[in-house]
Amino acid sequence: MKMKLCGVGCGRLGTLVGLGRNGAATLALPGCLLYTRTGSAPHLTHDTLQEVGGVPAVAQFTLPTMAELHEVLEEYKEGAAKFIGMPDTVLYCSLLDPVAPCPSGYNTNKTVSLWGASGRMELTTSKFMDIQRAIQPDWFQCISDGDTISGEVSRKRAKKSVDRSLSFLDVCLQLLEKSPELQGSVMFGAIEGGDVLEERLRSARETAKRPVGGFLLDGFQGSAMAKETKLKLIASVTAELPEDKPRIIHGIGKPDEVLECIERGVDIFESFFPFQVTERGCALVFSYDCHSDPEAAVLKQNGAQDTEKNGAEDQDEISKADPEMTPFEIFLKDKRYQDDFGPLLEGCTCYCCQRHTRAYVHHLLVTNELLAGVLLMMHNFQHYFSFFNAIQDALRDNKLDQLKKLVFRQALQGPANAKPGQ
Ligand SMILES: [Zn+2]
């Protein structure tokens, strides 16, 4: 794996080349990973995934799902990529599923706890590396103590998270060197330290001294940490890291937050956000075309007519929208879409928007048809992946500020179908 950077101004534009077992895959930066749980994209078969434009070359899957298959994979011997029928996909194995909650308070100096379908798993470094040997991922996150996201973490606990993670890293690096099965694998060192700046810096400096393939900025998931603190820490941490290795962040997915992290030197994100949007029956409709007139683009895409239609009779339906809903999406289960014959998003080239209407997807959602999730996932993934292309273009054309203004304006507008007055 090699990193080619074309620019490191207000965001790192570049490409990761030589990825995967045959070294043929590339990932444009800033970029995102394909979110999966067990190696396949949620709601989609391999065939339907082929219909989605711009699917990233690297798929993320999570350790708990694979750890439960450990013995089977050990016996299979050919690694998880082949086992799940995706032999050519570049796989990144992360410790946690960004969408699943992880109970706090179980990590020790020797073990990290993960939760799978059959409950809690306690992993030591040697058990962790045994599982990785069976999985044979292209990239994997080193086991670390990232249990600092509750917002009530003391300085002592933050220090402990760094000490433990560094000691796990040292043991795993030694085991990695001795594992023939993992010779083609790249290990990412996790940077921990909660919200304590000195600990974050120590974690970054110490991790950077070790022969890791890249860095994971961990512990920024959730909303317990104030946004200003988070951004300040991210900027301080990336400033300590070498330029020539990629930086992944976990738990950041909203378009405005992604842009803020890119400005602070983050390269790679997950794509759990479009999955969450799909799960709440919503479609991403935010605009990222900063080459057109921003005002007009926002009105056109976020639906000026939606606000007009926001009548009193719709209130019951509206109140069923997920409180987590963001201003970047519309709630298609809402009654107002039952006779809306436009595509989910005007101008979108995805499979769903080319063939179906908002009214049809509304119908599928209210009748609980599985196809609703399939079509929404196809649209939401494609829209989100294209957003990263727009970011790369904006960096190339020196227009990141314009893109930021456009996205931030939409973030402030409030959901197109919120109750009047909210
Ligand atoms: Zn679409």
Side-chain angles (χ1 to χ4, degrees):
M1 180 171 85
K2 210 175 158 202
M3 182 145 174
K4 291 183 179 169
L5 281 179
C6 336
V8 285
C10 53
R12 286 154 47 96
L13 180 67
T15 318
L16 273 178
V17 297
L19 309 183
R21 296 296 152 127
N22 57 15
T26 60
L27 183 70
L29 303 178
C32 71
L33 309 163
L34 172 68
Y35 172 74
T36 82
R37 280 178 162 171
T38 52
S40 62
H43 297 292
L44 306 181
T45 62
H46 292 197
D47 287 343
T48 44
L49 182 65
Q50 302 290 316
E51 297 288 336
V52 176
V55 176
V58 184
Q60 173 188 17
F61 69 116
T62 56
L63 190 62
T65 48
M66 286 295 154
E68 286 174 336
L69 278 172
H70 178 200
E71 285 170 15
V72 179
L73 284 173
E74 214 160 49
E75 201 181 319
Y76 182 68
K77 292 192 173 65
E78 297 187 61
K82 195 169 172 197
F83 184 74
I84 60 178
M86 297 169 81
D88 301 324
T89 305
V90 182
L91 289 181
Y92 166 58
C93 180
S94 66
L95 280 189
L96 302 172
D97 186 329
V99 172
C102 182
S104 185
Y106 291 90
N107 294 349
T108 70
N109 288 341
K110 297 273 175 225
T111 64
V112 168
S113 282
L114 302 178
W115 273 258
S118 51
R120 182 160 75 100
M121 281 171 261
E122 260 193 322
L123 296 186
T124 58
T125 42
S126 72
K127 172 88 177 156
F128 170 74
M129 289 301 284
D130 278 348
I131 299 172
Q132 296 298 349
R133 266 195 294 273
I135 296 176
Q136 299 169 26
D138 299 281
W139 297 359
F140 65 103
Q141 167 193 354
C142 184
I143 196 167
S144 66
D145 176 21
D147 188 8
T148 55
I149 59 173
S150 63
E152 294 157 357
V153 171
S154 64
R155 187 165 280 264
K156 199 174 147 199
R157 181 67 186 86
K159 180 176 184 303
K160 201 180 260 183
S161 77
V162 177
D163 289 338
R164 280 176 180 171
S165 300
L166 287 171
S167 99
F168 293 153
L169 181 61
D170 286 334
V171 177
C172 289
L173 281 167
Q174 280 175 13
L175 292 171
L176 179 67
E177 215 177 317
K178 291 183 208 146
S179 309
E181 303 89 338
L182 293 174
Q183 285 317 299
S185 302
V186 174
M187 186 157 78
F188 282 70
I191 294 162
E192 304 288 356
D195 60 0
V196 180
L197 179 64
E198 308 151 34
E199 291 304 327
R200 283 278 173 191
L201 293 176
R202 182 167 71 93
S203 184
R205 285 173 196 145
E206 288 299 321
T207 309
K209 283 182 197 163
R210 286 145 168 96
V212 293
F215 304 94
L216 161 69
L217 277 64
D218 194 32
F220 293 107
Q221 301 93 323
S223 51
M225 195 190 292
K227 192 174 170 182
E228 299 71 44
T229 314
K230 210 181 261 190
L231 294 177
K232 198 173 159 239
L233 288 171
I234 291 170
S236 312
V237 163
T238 56
E240 296 295 325
L241 300 177
E243 292 283 346
D244 60 349
K245 290 181 183 176
R247 301 101 180 242
I248 299 182
I249 196 161
H250 281 174
I252 303 279
K254 291 181 189 142
D256 51 338
E257 295 175 358
V258 165
L259 290 172
E260 287 172 325
C261 289
I262 285 172
E263 275 187 313
R264 288 163 181 82
V266 177
D267 301 316
I268 303 172
F269 298 80
E270 298 162 307
S271 62
F272 65 92
F273 177 65
F275 171 64
Q276 287 177 320
V277 171
T278 302
E279 291 312 278
R280 50 185 174 245
C282 292
L284 289 173
V285 292
F286 69 101
S287 169
Y288 42 70
D289 180 8
C290 61
H291 293 90
S292 67
D293 173 21
E295 295 279 356
V298 172
L299 278 176
K300 193 175 127 215
Q301 300 206 351
N302 233 357
Q305 86 273 26
D306 290 342
T307 323
E308 283 163 27
K309 277 195 184 180
N310 207 351
E313 79 272 18
D314 288 341
Q315 300 261 318
D316 285 348
E317 282 300 320
I318 293 163
S319 62
K320 286 179 198 156
D322 191 315
E324 296 292 313
M325 205 180 134
T326 68
F328 304 105
E329 60 203 89
I330 54 170
F331 181 50
L332 280 162
K333 214 169 173 179
D334 194 295
K335 237 185 193 167
R336 83 181 68 160
Y337 299 113
Q338 70 181 7
D339 57 354
D340 184 336
F341 303 116
L344 300 189
L345 175 63
E346 206 62 57
C348 178
T349 58
C350 87
Y351 178 93
C352 175
C353 292
Q354 291 298 302
R355 289 166 181 78
H356 301 294
T357 60
R358 287 176 170 185
Y360 179 57
V361 177
H362 167 86
H363 164 75
L364 294 173
L365 282 168
V366 294
T367 51
N368 290 320
E369 286 291 341
L370 292 177
L371 185 58
V374 175
L375 292 176
L376 280 176
M377 196 70 256
M378 291 177 91
H379 166 80
N380 287 332
F381 261 157
Q382 183 161 327
H383 193 65
Y384 196 70
F385 299 153
S386 309
F387 170 53
F388 280 88
N389 293 338
I391 298 172
Q392 293 150 18
D393 290 344
L395 282 172
R396 201 170 289 121
D397 302 342
N398 243 334
K399 285 188 167 171
L400 193 72
D401 262 354
Q402 269 164 271
L403 178 61
K404 243 185 89 184
K405 270 183 204 149
L406 173 64
V407 169
F408 275 66
R409 189 176 299 134
Q410 295 171 89
L412 287 172
Q413 255 186 354
N417 57 356
K419 286 181 193 174
Q422 268 196 344

